[in-house]
Amino acid sequence: MIIRPVVRSLQGRAPLATLRSAQAVFQPLPQLRRNASVTTGPDAASEASTTPIAKITTTTEPSKNEKKKAKAAAAAEPEEQEVIMSRMPRSLEALYLQPLRREAEYGVPSCDLQLRSYSIRNLEFFCDFALRAAYYLGLPAFGPVPLPRMIERWTVPKSHFIFKKSQENFERVTLRRLIQIKDGHPETVQLWLAFLQKHAYYGIGMKANVWEFSKLGVSKAMDESKGEVEKLLETRWEHLSHVSDMKGVGNFEDFLAKERLRISGGR
């Protein structure tokens, strides 16, 4: 066999430990022993060179498509997630979340509320409060939309007028936010604005533009109610008119002549 000459050469030159390790290395496996066949003659060397003793296996990396398929299969499998139960009431827990909003059906603007402040902290807090109030009143609210800042600067002399060079500069920055209400009933919008005005936050200014829509043919209804409005206003406009009826005086010129006579003392 081919292994024997190698072992014999090692027996004469290598120590005992090396010999045992070499015998362990070159010892054929049981599977090779069963399938081995001893050949003699000139064909032995050719068979030994062509017949493989062990099978070499190589591993290749998976392709991109296989990786994608593996990721998709892993994502499709249901993952068990722990459900964290909060001990706070839902109304209190909602304060830590973003305010809820309602969707507008038609997108018709009803009110534009502009909030102004010098402090960003107060402004953001009141915007959050206004959005939550609009949700619970059933109003679709959008915003807050940041508006451009209003910057004002002043230069004031520090001392008397002769010390013109000693001056001091002051600056005031006004921050603004816009909240828009769409598809809101006019009465509900007025109720929302009154609620915000009642619970106004310090350092916050409000400015509201409200639109009201009426049915077609409103001019005819105004013409019909013209007589009733005139009757209501007659009594209120009497004391404001200079052509009103003066009791005891038939003519305005006679009244003026009598007043001149009274002032001059009858001269």
Side-chain angles (χ1 to χ4, degrees), residues 133-189:
Y135 172 78
Y136 287 111
L137 288 174
L139 296 173
F142 297 87
V145 180
L147 297 178
R149 296 181 177 184
M150 298 172 61
I151 302 175
E152 301 169 284
R153 296 185 178 93
W154 298 274
T155 303
V156 181
K158 278 187 175 182
S159 186
H160 302 291
F161 65 97
I162 58 173
F163 303 103
K164 175 68 175 174
K165 293 184 179 179
S166 62
Q167 295 180 350
E168 192 171 3
N169 298 322
F170 295 92
E171 182 184 50
R172 184 172 67 185
V173 180
T174 306
L175 307 172
R176 298 185 295 171
R177 295 291 186 272
L178 177 67
I179 297 177
Q180 190 175 42
I181 303 295
K182 295 182 179 180
D183 297 347
H185 195 273
E187 294 182 1
T188 313
V189 172

Side-chain angles (χ1 to χ4, degrees), residues 248-264:
V249 181
N251 194 358
F252 189 68
E253 293 180 357
D254 296 341
F255 174 74
L256 290 177
K258 289 180 181 180
E259 286 294 319
R260 291 194 195 101
L261 256 140
R262 185 179 63 80
I263 293 170
S264 62

